[in-house]
Amino acid sequence: MKLCIPVKICLSILVIFTFTLYILPFYFNCRLYDVLQFKQITVEDTRVRNTTKKILFWNTMFDSETFYMGKGDIFAHCPVNDCYATHDRYYTDLDDYDALLFHAIQLDFSTLPSNRNPRQWYVFVNLESPSNWPLTSQLHQNFYNITMTYRLDSDIVWTYGTVKDAHTEEIVAPSRNVNWNVYNQSGEEDSNQPDNATLWKTIERKTKPIVWFVSNCATKSNRESYVKKLSKYISVDIYGQCGSMRCPRTKDCFRDVAELDYFFYLSFENSLCVDYVTEKLYNALRYNVVPIVYGGANYNQFAPPGSYIHALDFEAPKDLANYLKRLMENPREYSEYFAWKKRYKIGEGTRLAVCNLCKFLHEQKEPRMYNSLSSWYSHSKCPWQDVLTMLQVHDKD
């Protein structure tokens, strides 16, 4: 009799335990198998999924292992974001990468992959002009099957900045097919832009004509010669290694110097090449200072009309100087160069390029080869010598 009670108790405990393990989990949608496998599932979720497009930065872009695209999940903000990028060649088998990014002008061909998966994209990445960085090695031919550059005819366009509709955030430019008249027809002003009173206050504070931040003093575009001629007719303050003035790196030089004191900023490119428009333009457009551009691009495809002055639209530096003086003496006419800010604002070019790269890889296009990349990249793309000849002919003062 004494043994019976413990047996009954044990049986009851066993029934309750069985009920707990096999019945309750179904009510709570928590299967015992899942509980036991929790650790394994958690570990697997930290790895890239099979659908994720894997990207390898093969070399560096100057001193950046991530090609200045950022660290962490750089695709998180993208509409198509199922991509992963790394500089670690041993993250997975080399054949498993969907795309290998090569900073072409620094590529060491002795370090290339020994085998190549025919389904992989070999990406030609470059933000420098062919005038400064020509492709001299024949090994570049028949190697890449996708281009990612500043050129507007690249497979993936990577520009130094973008122009967005101030209200819809839609990307307007750069584009070969931009139509400035179709955007933001409501006429409403963007609340993020300064009102007329603030703008006028900024303009009234300005006392100096032109500022230029520059460190490359001998360029293929010969911009330094143009500036030398221009400075005979109007004052140009030069900051950096090519001038006598300095702006500390701890300062926002465009906000604290250019916008505060100057009417104009020289957004002069070091190369006069097709589509070569760098941060020199977009940095100025972000502030209330008018950029004077000097380059080989069709600037109407890169910035709103009336937001910049093109030096090469004038027959000679003297003519440009006379026009700038007129604007300084007529603040209302000068202020019209900021009217575009009611409709548009400046955005980042790198962010858009990152998203377009991920989107491209998910479109599953058939790989192809650039048989003559050097021809596409450099042939007749930098007609700077013709411009220099024109300047010599028309400016004999």
Side-chain angles (χ1 to χ4, degrees):
M1 293 293 294
K2 291 181 180 179
L3 293 175
C4 184
I5 294 174
V7 170
K8 288 181 179 180
I9 293 174
C10 290
L11 287 174
S12 299
I13 293 173
L14 182 61
V15 169
I16 294 171
F17 182 74
T18 303
F19 179 83
T20 303
L21 286 179
Y22 294 98
I23 305 301
L24 288 181
F26 287 98
Y27 282 96
F28 293 98
N29 194 27
C30 178
R31 292 173 300 174
L32 181 62
Y33 175 81
D34 290 339
V35 175
L36 296 176
Q37 296 296 318
F38 175 77
K39 183 176 180 181
Q40 179 181 346
I41 292 171
T42 302
V43 172
E44 289 177 352
D45 280 351
T46 64
R47 304 294 291 177
V48 174
R49 298 185 299 273
N50 289 334
T51 58
T52 301
K53 298 299 181 182
K54 293 177 281 296
I55 301 163
L56 176 63
F57 300 110
W58 181 258
N59 56 346
T60 61
M61 193 171 198
F62 299 114
D63 59 350
S64 173
E65 292 184 345
T66 62
F67 285 37
Y68 301 102
M69 294 182 185
K71 295 182 179 179
D73 187 0
I74 61 175
F75 305 99
H77 61 276
C78 299
V80 179
N81 55 31
D82 194 11
C83 290
Y84 177 82
T86 179
H87 184 70
D88 182 4
R89 297 182 186 180
Y90 303 102
Y91 174 81
T92 187
D93 291 340
L94 197 58
D95 284 352
D96 290 339
Y97 287 103
D98 297 277
L100 276 67
L101 270 58
F102 300 92
H103 187 220
I105 61 176
Q106 290 186 299
L107 184 57
D108 181 355
F109 281 91
S110 67
T111 66
L112 293 183
S114 55
N115 297 308
R116 179 172 183 172
N117 188 329
R119 72 170 181 80
Q120 288 176 321
W121 296 98
Y122 274 26
V123 188
F124 173 81
V125 181
N126 183 37
L127 293 182
E128 303 297 327
S129 76
S131 180
N132 288 322
W133 297 89
L135 297 181
T136 57
S137 174
Q138 286 300 312
L139 296 175
H140 286 288
Q141 313 306 323
N142 300 302
F143 181 72
Y144 308 98
N145 50 20
I146 178 175
T147 57
M148 186 175 184
T149 81
Y150 64 87
R151 287 260 299 277
L152 299 184
D153 57 348
S154 301
D155 296 302
I156 300 168
V157 178
W158 185 357
T159 56
Y160 284 80
T162 61
V163 180
K164 300 192 293 185
D165 186 290
H167 298 275
T168 66
E169 296 288 323
E170 182 177 356
I171 302 294
V172 179
S175 171
R176 289 275 168 86
N177 302 312
V178 64
N179 183 348
W180 297 105
N181 296 322
V182 301
Y183 292 92
N184 195 6
Q185 294 295 323
S186 65
E188 299 176 358
E189 295 189 7
D190 183 8
S191 59
N192 293 324
Q193 298 299 340
D195 56 29
N196 286 337
T198 303
L199 177 61
W200 276 107
K201 229 178 243 188
T202 302
I203 294 175
E204 287 172 355
R205 282 200 308 262
K206 296 178 183 294
T207 58
K208 302 176 183 179
I210 304 172
V211 62
W212 190 23
F213 305 136
V214 59
S215 57
N216 184 353
C217 312
T219 63
K220 295 293 178 64
S221 67
N222 206 20
R223 63 189 180 188
E224 53 277 357
S225 294
Y226 187 98
V227 174
K228 186 177 180 180
K229 293 176 181 178
L230 180 65
S231 62
K232 292 195 301 184
Y233 311 108
I234 190 171
S235 174
V236 180
D237 287 346
I238 302 176
Y239 285 73
Q241 296 180 19
C242 305
S244 59
M245 308 184 79
R246 299 289 180 267
C247 177
R249 291 191 176 184
T250 54
K251 268 189 170 187
D252 182 337
C253 297
F254 274 91
R255 183 194 65 198
D256 299 335
V257 177
E259 182 180 67
L260 190 64
D261 297 325
Y262 293 89
F263 285 88
F264 307 101
Y265 177 77
L266 295 183
S267 297
F268 278 27
E269 302 296 350
N270 60 35
S271 306
L272 300 176
C273 300
V274 173
D275 293 342
Y276 189 62
V277 176
T278 68
E279 78 285 349
K280 298 171 184 65
L281 170 64
Y282 295 106
N283 285 344
L285 289 175
R286 287 187 173 93
Y287 295 87
N288 290 318
V289 57
V290 176
I292 303 172
V293 301
Y294 173 89
N298 177 353
Y299 279 86
N300 187 60
Q301 298 173 344
F302 289 83
S307 66
Y308 60 89
I309 298 167
H310 201 320
L312 300 183
D313 286 341
F314 296 84
E315 188 173 1
K318 182 178 181 180
D319 300 305
L320 171 61
N322 290 336
Y323 178 71
L324 299 180
K325 289 176 183 176
R326 192 186 85 190
L327 289 178
M328 292 172 62
E329 293 168 358
N330 294 274
R332 187 163 298 280
E333 186 178 357
Y334 172 79
S335 70
E336 291 175 3
Y337 277 93
F338 304 106
W340 65 274
K341 294 192 174 187
K342 297 176 182 179
R343 290 188 174 185
Y344 310 107
K345 62 182 180 181
I346 303 302
E348 295 294 333
T350 299
R351 175 171 294 187
L352 180 62
V354 166
C355 292
N356 286 343
L357 172 62
C358 188
K359 179 183 177 183
F360 182 96
L361 295 179
H362 278 279
E363 288 177 347
Q364 298 181 344
K365 295 179 179 177
E366 287 296 323
R368 73 282 195 190
M369 195 67 65
Y370 279 87
N371 296 323
S372 183
L373 183 71
S374 60
S375 177
W376 173 85
Y377 171 62
S378 59
H379 183 64
S380 299
K381 297 302 185 296
C382 299
W384 57 272
Q385 187 60 51
D386 294 338
V387 175
L388 297 184
T389 302
M390 178 199 73
L391 293 176
Q392 292 168 358
V393 169
H394 291 285
D395 186 31
K396 297 182 179 180
D397 291 341

